[in-house]
């Protein structure tokens, strides 16, 4: 499992469209609160991020390939949120669950930075994964449950 931060309804949709991903779960991850609710994160902004936990079969897709999907679906140069979502809880992060995953994520980040095609430096941190806390049920698969709202959000 890996965790990727950003607006979870968008990141969840991006990874659900990767055919070999087994499951995505909208979560909160970070610091300060034990078992936070989405409302608690929204109201108090305690350092938790909206993330998704991604379950995958390493025999069908590598961790590095999933990291590459992440880089293509977020703005890794924006530390103030993602797209129209402006808050530190929407900031990007990659949560590594093993030392090897952390090494691969750092290596991938370095390679993208070295290409020089981004106008600003990458600010997405690579963090050790702590506990993931699934959000309330109405946030799970939001893009499928609210397709019109989701399409309007992505369009804007």
């Amino acid at each position: 499992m890996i965790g990727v931060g950003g607006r979870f309804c968008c990141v969840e949709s991006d990874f659900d469209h990767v055919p070999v991903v087994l499951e995505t779960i909208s979560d909160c991850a970070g610091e300060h609160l034990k078992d936070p609710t989405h409302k608690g994160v929204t109201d108090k902004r305690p350092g938790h991020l909206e993330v998704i936990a991604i379950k995958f079969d390493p025999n069908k897709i590598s961790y590095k390939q999933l990291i590459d999907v992440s880089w293509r679906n977020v703005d890794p140069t924006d530390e103030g949120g993602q797209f129209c979502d402006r808050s530190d809880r929407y900031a990007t992060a990659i949560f590594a669950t093993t030392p090897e995953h952390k090494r691969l994520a750092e290596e991938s980040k370095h390679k993208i930075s070295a290409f020089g095609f981004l106008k600003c430096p990458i600010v997405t941190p690579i963090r050790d994964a702590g506990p993931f806390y699934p959000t309330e049920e109405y946030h799970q698969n939001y893009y499928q449950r609210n397709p019109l709202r989701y399409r309007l959000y992505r369009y804007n």
Side-chain angles (χ1 to χ4, degrees):
M1 181 183 318
I2 69 167
V4 178
R7 173 86 180 206
F8 48 54
C9 68
C10 295
V11 180
E12 183 178 45
S13 172
D14 295 333
F15 279 92
D16 277 351
H17 288 93
V18 175
V20 294
V21 166
L22 302 174
E23 182 180 20
T24 58
I25 304 163
S26 292
D27 288 289
C28 294
E31 313 169 41
H32 307 298
L33 290 178
K34 183 177 181 181
D35 201 18
T37 64
H38 181 260
K39 182 166 176 40
V41 170
T42 302
D43 290 349
K44 298 174 186 148
R45 293 179 26 186
H48 277 77
L49 301 175
E50 287 193 4
V51 303
I52 60 163
I54 303 162
K55 293 183 182 178
F56 67 101
D57 181 345
N59 295 314
K60 295 183 179 177
I61 190 168
S62 71
Y63 177 82
K64 184 185 176 324
Q65 289 171 304
L66 290 173
I67 295 301
D68 290 344
V69 170
S70 179
W71 292 130
R72 288 191 309 268
N73 286 286
V74 298
D75 179 354
T77 68
D78 185 353
E79 64 187 350
Q82 284 297 286
F83 313 111
C84 63
D85 291 313
R86 308 314 306 159
S87 167
D88 57 352
R89 78 171 188 261
Y90 300 122
T92 61
I94 295 174
F95 293 88
T97 55
T98 70
E100 176 66 5
H101 285 178
K102 187 170 188 173
R103 184 190 67 74
L104 289 169
E106 291 284 1
E107 185 178 281
S108 175
K109 180 179 175 178
H110 177 73
K111 284 181 182 177
I112 289 171
S113 294
F115 281 130
F117 62 86
L118 296 173
K119 294 178 183 177
C120 300
I122 293 176
V123 296
T124 299
I126 312 298
R127 298 170 61 177
D128 292 326
F132 291 107
Y133 299 102
T135 61
E136 296 84 354
E137 187 58 32
Y138 69 90
H139 286 294
Q140 304 299 327
N141 302 306
Y142 181 86
Y143 73 98
Q144 292 172 333
R145 293 176 185 211
N146 300 282
L148 180 59
R149 286 183 131 173
Y150 177 72
R151 279 194 304 269
L152 288 171
Y153 171 81
R154 284 299 283 238
Y155 176 77
N156 288 323

